[in-house]
Amino acid sequence: MSDDFVTVIYFWKIKKSKVGFALLRMALDRGALRRFKGVRFAKMLGAGKGETFTPRDADITRWGALAVIESSRLTALDDSKLVKRWRQNSDAEVRYLVDPISSHGLWAKVNPFDYVKSASDGEVVAITRARIKWAQNIRFWKAVPPVTSSLLSSPGLLQTIGIGEAPIGLQGTFSLWESASAVRDFAYRGQAHQKAIADTARYKWYSEELFARFALLDERGLIK
């Protein structure tokens, strides 16, 4: 895989009066973003407050987009009608530019971050994403609170946002950390997270899952 790709993640904060706009654009922009020249993988995302990581955490004023794009086409995407339209209808925007450190698993039957090329001793972004089996939804949501509590109290966590492609069943997290070691400590030393890993193997509640870590190259904007 060529290393001439970069991953860009946008989050937008809108007024409640703009929810109709957001729902329409989520439907229309899904295909438009995938077809944008230079894009090899793209997802429009709903977003949550990052407090519970359950369906009730969804926030109709927070939306996002993720794209793996040729580096030479990034400026064109930033200046595209698609992104500008969201920007013009938003109160706030934050954009993260990241490079994969490691990526395991699948998202929509592919590993979009398999152009692994980075190492980082600086800030790190982690993305988890899972397709939850319908029969396991209730069991899964009951297991979430201890992991959430452990995550939110983890040393080195700077920010966390819930992400999803649908209200139920296609869920994930975006988190920003001070360092790669902080991510590893949460993932491999936290008792709640270790139990969740064991339960995942026991109950097989995912039909598809992905965990990826990224070096943070650039951060622009702010959403509280």
Side-chain angles (χ1 to χ4, degrees), residues 141-215:
W141 295 122
K142 286 182 177 179
V144 165
V147 180
T148 301
S149 178
S150 174
L151 171 65
L152 297 178
S153 63
S154 293
L157 178 68
L158 300 176
Q159 184 180 20
T160 182
I161 300 171
I163 58 175
E165 301 160 72
I168 297 175
L170 299 171
Q171 306 297 323
T173 61
F174 168 99
S175 54
L176 177 63
W177 300 79
E178 289 181 349
S179 65
S181 61
V183 181
R184 289 193 297 269
D185 286 347
F186 165 72
Y188 300 114
R189 296 184 182 179
Q191 292 184 354
H193 194 255
Q194 285 298 301
K195 183 178 186 302
I197 293 173
D199 285 346
T200 298
R202 178 182 179 185
Y203 298 114
K204 302 184 186 305
W205 47 35
Y206 303 140
S207 59
E208 186 179 66
E209 60 180 315
L210 177 139
F211 176 72
R213 291 183 297 123
F214 305 82

Side-chain angles (χ1 to χ4, degrees), residues 44-113:
M44 297 300 297
L45 301 168
K49 299 176 182 178
E51 296 173 352
T52 67
F53 300 107
T54 66
R56 69 175 184 270
D57 196 36
D59 185 343
I60 60 173
T61 68
R62 295 171 185 250
W63 304 87
L66 178 150
V68 180
I69 187 170
E70 293 175 6
S71 300
S72 61
R73 295 292 300 167
L74 177 62
T75 299
L77 180 61
D78 278 337
D79 294 337
S80 67
K81 290 182 179 179
L82 188 156
V83 172
K84 283 184 174 179
R85 190 181 293 116
W86 279 96
R87 188 174 293 142
Q88 291 164 359
N89 284 274
S90 300
D91 293 332
E93 176 191 74
V94 61
R95 190 201 75 163
Y96 299 96
L97 194 62
V98 299
D99 261 350
I101 298 170
S102 65
S103 181
H104 307 285
L106 300 176
W107 191 342
K109 300 181 180 180
V110 299
N111 184 344
F113 313 118

Side-chain angles (χ1 to χ4, degrees), residues 94-134:
V94 61
R95 190 201 75 163
Y96 299 96
L97 194 62
V98 299
D99 261 350
I101 298 170
S102 65
S103 181
H104 307 285
L106 300 176
W107 191 342
K109 300 181 180 180
V110 299
N111 184 344
F113 313 118
D114 60 357
Y115 63 106
V116 176
K117 60 179 182 179
S118 293
S120 177
D121 56 4
E123 293 180 355
V124 169
V125 165
I127 291 178
T128 64
R129 180 266 176 191
R131 180 183 293 270
I132 306 164
K133 295 178 181 177
W134 280 100

